[in-house]
Amino acid sequence: MSPAMKSMRRGRGAGISTAVAAALIGTVALTVSPASAQPTATDAGAPATEASEAAQGGDNLVIQWNKMAYDASVKTAAKTNGLKRPPLGSRVYATVHSCIYDAWAAYDYKAVGTQLGDDLRQPYYKRTLANRKTAINYAAYDALVYLFPDFKADFDAKLQQLGLDPANTTRNTTTPAGVAHTACDAVIAVRRADGSNQDNNYADTTGYQAVNPPQDFNAFDKSTIVDPNRWTPLTTNGVTPSFATPQWGDITPFAIKDPASFLPPAPPVYGSAASQADIKTLMDVNAKLTDREKVIAEYWLERSETPTGHQNQWAQFISHRDGNTLSEDVKMFFALNLAMGDSGIVAWKTKVHYDYSRPITMIRYDQSGKTVQGYGGPGKGTQTIDGSAWKPYVTTPAFGSYVSGHAVWGAAAAEALKLWTGSDKFGDSFTFKAGTSTFEPGQTPAADVTLKWNTLSEAAAEDGMSRIYGGVHWTFDNLEGQKVGRTVAKATHAQALRYINGTA
């Protein structure tokens, strides 16, 4: 048994059954090239070929499959009837790009896969661009079929469009299809047993019970709140969503070892000076919302089944901006999504650990019976209301407030891409057209609003602030979330480099 397979048994491939591991060993052992194989003229020439292809522009295969993952996530979100589960997207992208990377690594002279190490290493004469492309295509296909079986027809059509046969299921690792299937089998084996409960539509496996009984959105009753510090379910039109995927903090990470080691300090206790100050801040923002702030709240809310869709679009922009080759994007998207996958796990571990109250509950509890200024609802502007009727601009999600997932993922992506590219430079922008608001259609914004981010840090900061403008997060949710995201990204970046440099 190779050192890589021994490592997998020790825990890197946790979740792979003995039978699966044995099958993988038997298949891989037939085709492993000598570990001493060194780069040759063929290896050196491949980047040049990729560079000439990149110079032609357009979406390379990594970006094409990244977009397929996004499209499938959007279709899945539509099927949940608005009950959002943001961590799903971070797992999707991390799984897809781990499969792509692991298949690609077999055609590199030093990179090792996340599960099978260098056991799939191909001889130098097989490290061609054509073989890399075939392996990437089949790996992405396998990952997406596993993640979104309902949309297999879409993935079949994409593979056929690329000139490949979805019925080619060989595990013969002398072929690029066999390399891809074998590499992705190992990744999927870990994900099947990672604790996310995908096979049961990600249903809660923890038995989580909210401390506070549900509150009707339109009829707040302060007397029923058991603990104002804790999360409270909200009932809207007779529907009471439960805490979304509370098991997520305990699923198997992609790169880090212990999510609990990244937990931030506790949030302020209700009634403390810090808590009262943040209540005032949220209420002031809510009562004075500008069109630009509403646009920011809505722009970053889009893709809410998978907020990480935004950050993967950052990577797409950077790829086109910098003229990345196929192999460069394999590595960049892999490094980015290790950070996104693991920062999502840490975010949810934090949310469940502290089980902290959302602004709509704590503010109503604190201001009940008082006359306040607040957002009156779509098209109503700021109104004088009873504090028990305070409402945010956007919909409050069904899970604890601390920390903000948007802040975590935005900062993790900014840090991961900054570390990868060596620069915080960004340069993307988006124009929100007049009257296209989801919450105030035809009215907001009164004129076009352009959002532009000169740096990745600016984009991440705005992503985090969007949830404060929206009225669904505290300022400390944002600030501590940003710290969590950057800390996790630094750890996952180091691990990504170990895989890419062959030292993992």
Side-chain angles (χ1 to χ4, degrees):
M1 183 182 296
S2 73
M5 291 300 287
K6 290 178 182 177
S7 178
M8 182 180 73
R9 285 285 185 88
R10 287 197 297 269
R12 187 172 61 195
I16 299 181
S17 68
T18 301
V20 172
L24 290 170
I25 295 167
T27 304
V28 173
L30 296 174
T31 57
V32 175
S33 62
S36 60
Q38 296 297 315
T40 66
T42 302
D43 294 291
T49 304
E50 290 190 8
S52 63
E53 186 173 86
Q56 299 173 19
D59 291 345
N60 62 37
L61 293 173
V62 174
I63 294 177
Q64 289 179 46
W65 286 109
N66 184 270
K67 289 182 175 180
M68 292 293 291
Y70 171 70
D71 290 343
S73 296
V74 170
K75 290 181 181 180
T76 298
K79 293 168 62 178
T80 66
N81 297 317
L83 307 182
K84 305 302 184 183
R85 303 166 298 177
L88 272 60
S90 59
R91 178 177 178 269
V92 164
Y93 286 115
T95 301
V96 169
H97 286 285
S98 290
C99 279
I100 288 175
Y101 166 81
D102 280 13
W104 168 90
Y107 294 91
D108 188 68
Y109 72 93
K110 65 176 179 179
V112 296
T114 63
Q115 304 305 318
L116 300 180
D118 64 357
D119 285 329
L120 294 177
R121 179 86 68 220
Q122 297 296 293
Y124 72 89
Y125 58 85
K126 288 190 175 183
R127 299 173 199 160
T128 64
L129 180 56
N131 284 347
R132 286 178 181 170
K133 285 182 173 181
T134 299
I136 287 169
N137 285 329
Y138 275 113
Y141 170 82
D142 285 355
L144 287 169
V145 169
Y146 159 66
L147 293 161
F148 302 105
D150 290 351
F151 306 130
K152 181 177 182 296
D154 293 346
F155 311 135
D156 285 353
K158 179 63 177 177
L159 203 58
Q160 290 168 338
Q161 176 194 349
L162 294 167
L164 298 175
D165 183 5
N168 182 353
T169 59
T170 181
R171 264 60 180 175
N172 179 351
T173 57
T174 64
T175 68
V179 166
H181 293 317
T182 303
C184 202
D185 283 349
V187 173
I188 290 173
V190 175
R191 291 303 123 195
R192 285 192 188 282
D194 67 2
S196 64
N197 200 21
Q198 177 182 323
D199 291 341
N200 193 28
N201 196 29
Y202 307 98
D204 174 26
T205 58
T206 69
Y208 172 90
Q209 293 291 327
V211 169
N212 296 313
Q215 287 282 341
D216 191 294
F217 180 84
N218 294 311
F220 181 79
D221 183 357
K222 179 177 181 176
S223 68
T224 67
I225 295 293
V226 176
D227 185 348
N229 291 288
R230 304 291 289 276
W231 180 71
T232 302
L234 290 177
T235 301
T236 305
N237 299 324
V239 177
T240 309
S242 56
F243 195 118
T245 60
Q247 74 274 20
W248 214 265
D250 293 321
I251 76 169
T252 304
F254 289 86
I256 62 176
K257 293 181 179 180
D258 180 16
S261 67
F262 293 88
L263 286 177
V269 175
Y270 171 71
S272 66
S275 171
Q276 293 302 122
D278 232 52
I279 287 174
K280 183 179 186 305
T281 296
L282 264 289
M283 293 181 69
D284 286 347
V285 168
N286 178 266
K288 301 172 184 177
L289 282 173
T290 65
D291 268 13
R292 185 176 185 82
E293 290 168 344
K294 290 178 179 179
V295 163
I296 290 171
E298 292 198 41
Y299 172 77
W300 293 104
L301 180 62
E302 291 178 6
R303 308 169 183 87
S304 56
E305 180 75 3
T306 171
T308 49
H310 272 296
Q311 285 76 38
N312 275 272
Q313 289 186 336
W314 297 0
Q316 292 172 21
F317 175 85
I318 288 172
S319 172
H320 288 303
R321 182 197 71 188
D322 295 350
N324 280 6
T325 66
L326 179 65
S327 290
E328 287 169 345
D329 271 356
V330 167
K331 293 180 283 188
M332 181 175 74
F333 278 85
F334 170 65
L336 167 65
N337 285 295
L338 288 185
M340 303 301 271
D342 282 357
S343 61
I345 293 170
V346 175
W348 248 250
K349 193 165 193 70
T350 306
K351 285 178 179 293
V352 174
H353 180 77
Y354 292 114
D355 195 39
Y356 200 69
S357 177
R358 288 277 179 175
I360 189 172
T361 304
M362 191 179 287
I363 290 176
R364 286 181 171 188
Y365 183 88
D366 187 76
Q367 298 292 310
S368 182
K370 301 176 183 178
T371 300
V372 303
Q373 294 290 297
Y375 174 66
K380 297 180 180 179
T382 301
Q383 294 190 341
T384 301
I385 57 175
D386 186 271
S388 64
W390 186 90
K391 61 177 66 68
Y393 178 67
V394 302
T395 306
T396 298
F399 38 85
S401 188
Y402 185 74
V403 288
S404 164
H406 279 68
V408 170
W409 280 310
E415 189 68 22
L417 291 170
K418 182 184 76 171
L419 289 169
W420 186 259
T421 63
S423 170
D424 197 33
K425 182 178 71 172
F426 191 29
D428 200 5
S429 63
F430 178 83
T431 297
F432 201 104
K433 304 301 289 185
T436 59
S437 163
T438 298
F439 293 90
E440 296 183 326
Q443 175 181 334
T444 301
D448 292 357
V449 173
T450 296
L451 306 177
K452 182 174 176 57
W453 315 281
N454 293 317
T455 65
L456 292 161
S457 293
E458 286 178 6
E462 187 176 278
D463 192 358
M465 280 300 301
S466 73
R467 307 303 275 161
I468 295 168
Y469 296 146
V472 297
H473 271 295
W474 306 103
T475 64
F476 45 83
D477 291 348
N478 176 31
L479 296 175
E480 292 299 333
Q482 297 265 343
K483 293 176 185 177
V484 165
R486 290 188 182 275
T487 302
V488 173
K490 290 173 183 175
T492 59
H493 178 76
Q495 181 61 20
L497 290 183
R498 284 191 281 270
Y499 287 127
I500 292 166
N501 293 330
T503 60

